Amino acid sequence: AEEVGGGDKEVVREYFNNSGFQRWKKIYGETDDVNKVQLDIRLGHSKTVENVMTMLTEEGSLEGVTVCDAGCGTGLLSIPLAKQGAIVSASDISAAMVAEAEKQAREALLSSDGSSLAPVMPKFTVSDLESLDGKYHTVVCLDVLIHYPQSKADAMIAHLASLADERLLLSFAPKTFYYDLLKRVGELFPGPSKATRAYLHAEADVERALQKVGWRIRKRGLVTTQFYFSKLVEAVPA
Ligand code: SAM
């Protein structure tokens, strides 16, 4: 079913501009109108963001460091990065997500008198990650690979690595036996708000894709809650 309806990317774009935007805006937000599953995912995801901030800052200050946040969603990573002084270029395939991220960043970083909590406001652009160019000290891509099969993910990883000078942080849903099983059970009993297809990635496959372009994994992290599974890796030039 990979290429049905113009391919995964068109399906993903359409989803995150419409029903997926509504669903994820709620999950990534702060309001109470979420169910137990959504709340669990919200908490799991915030843990991933926290882990990314720890991995990044333990290597030194982010002041003046250029960071590309590829597939930025509602800006949940871009905002703390900017607060720490990073020069953030954030982008997403979904125009709806980018508009929401801009709004969130203004609310979080600008006070009513117009002064800013961030030395540099993040710059937001609508773009799929495959079209990004330029060079950044750090590239981060969180919870995006889940929308693509490994055959596509390899090229995406290679492209993201080509944009990064020093490090690349990626998170993905790990293909472990247990989660694989859960997912299959999920497919047998699809829920009402079943989203797009979810693709799991074996850590070894992600590592191989990185190695192919001359990168090695330096740090690893994992967040698992009841409904949220995300493996985080930090890669550096080998
Ligand atoms: N990275 C954000 C975070 O962790 O808060 C958002 C994660 S959300 C699950 C996945 C995001 O990836 C969506 O906002 C979606 O629009 C975006 N996305 C999916 N495919 C993309 C692509 N090919 N290029 C850029 N963004 C993409």
Side-chain angles (χ1 to χ4, degrees):
E2 228 171 84
E3 293 296 340
V4 169
D8 294 294
K9 196 151 82 179
E10 289 320 309
V11 174
V12 168
R13 189 199 315 270
E14 158 76 16
Y15 171 71
F16 279 106
N17 270 316
N18 297 288
S19 63
F21 172 65
Q22 296 305 334
R23 176 166 191 260
W24 287 96
K25 184 174 80 157
K26 216 158 76 168
I27 291 175
Y28 289 154
E30 285 172 352
T31 54
D32 296 335
D33 59 341
V34 283
N35 61 37
K36 266 180 64 182
V37 175
Q38 292 169 331
L39 182 62
D40 177 88
I41 296 172
R42 180 190 284 176
L43 295 173
H45 175 267
S46 72
K47 189 79 198 135
T48 289
V49 171
E50 218 175 275
N51 290 351
V52 169
M53 291 306 294
T54 303
M55 271 191 191
L56 290 178
T57 52
E58 69 195 7
E59 298 298 322
S61 162
L62 289 174
E63 197 77 49
V65 171
T66 54
V67 182
C68 166
D69 181 5
C72 64
T74 61
L76 284 176
L77 176 69
S78 289
I79 291 166
L81 285 171
K83 272 191 190 153
Q84 296 285 318
I87 300 166
V88 182
S89 301
S91 54
D92 198 283
I93 195 172
S94 156
M97 283 291 183
V98 169
E100 179 64 20
E102 269 179 321
K103 179 173 161 245
Q104 294 293 332
R106 272 198 308 273
E107 283 174 16
L109 300 171
L110 294 180
S111 47
S112 49
D113 65 4
S115 65
S116 178
L117 282 172
V120 182
M121 286 295 283
K123 189 170 163 278
F124 293 100
T125 334
V126 180
S127 170
D128 58 50
L129 65 86
E130 296 84 347
S131 309
L132 294 174
D133 56 11
K135 280 279 186 187
Y136 306 88
H137 175 283
T138 300
V139 175
V140 187
C141 184
L142 295 188
D143 295 0
V144 175
L145 293 180
I146 188 163
H147 305 297
Y148 299 92
Q150 190 63 41
S151 57
K152 302 259 167 67
D154 272 24
M156 295 170 88
I157 291 169
H159 183 60
L160 290 169
S162 79
L163 303 173
D165 281 329
E166 302 284 335
R167 58 189 173 186
L168 168 61
L169 274 75
L170 291 171
S171 75
F172 55 93
K175 191 172 194 167
T176 58
F177 174 75
Y178 169 70
Y179 191 36
D180 223 16
L181 194 74
L182 253 189
K183 197 191 150 245
R184 261 178 269 149
V185 173
E187 271 165 8
L188 289 177
F189 305 100
S193 61
K194 195 100 169 73
T196 49
R197 250 205 93 157
Y199 297 95
L200 311 173
H201 299 280
E203 192 175 345
D205 290 337
V206 171
E207 191 155 19
R208 210 171 297 120
L210 286 162
Q211 278 165 355
K212 260 201 313 213
V213 292
W215 287 62
R216 68 178 172 87
I217 295 178
R218 170 167 77 175
K219 291 180 201 164
R220 299 166 205 260
L222 177 69
V223 173
T224 66
T225 63
Q226 231 181 327
F227 300 100
Y228 176 90
F229 297 77
S230 193
K231 179 94 201 179
L232 175 65
V233 298
E234 182 192 75
V236 293

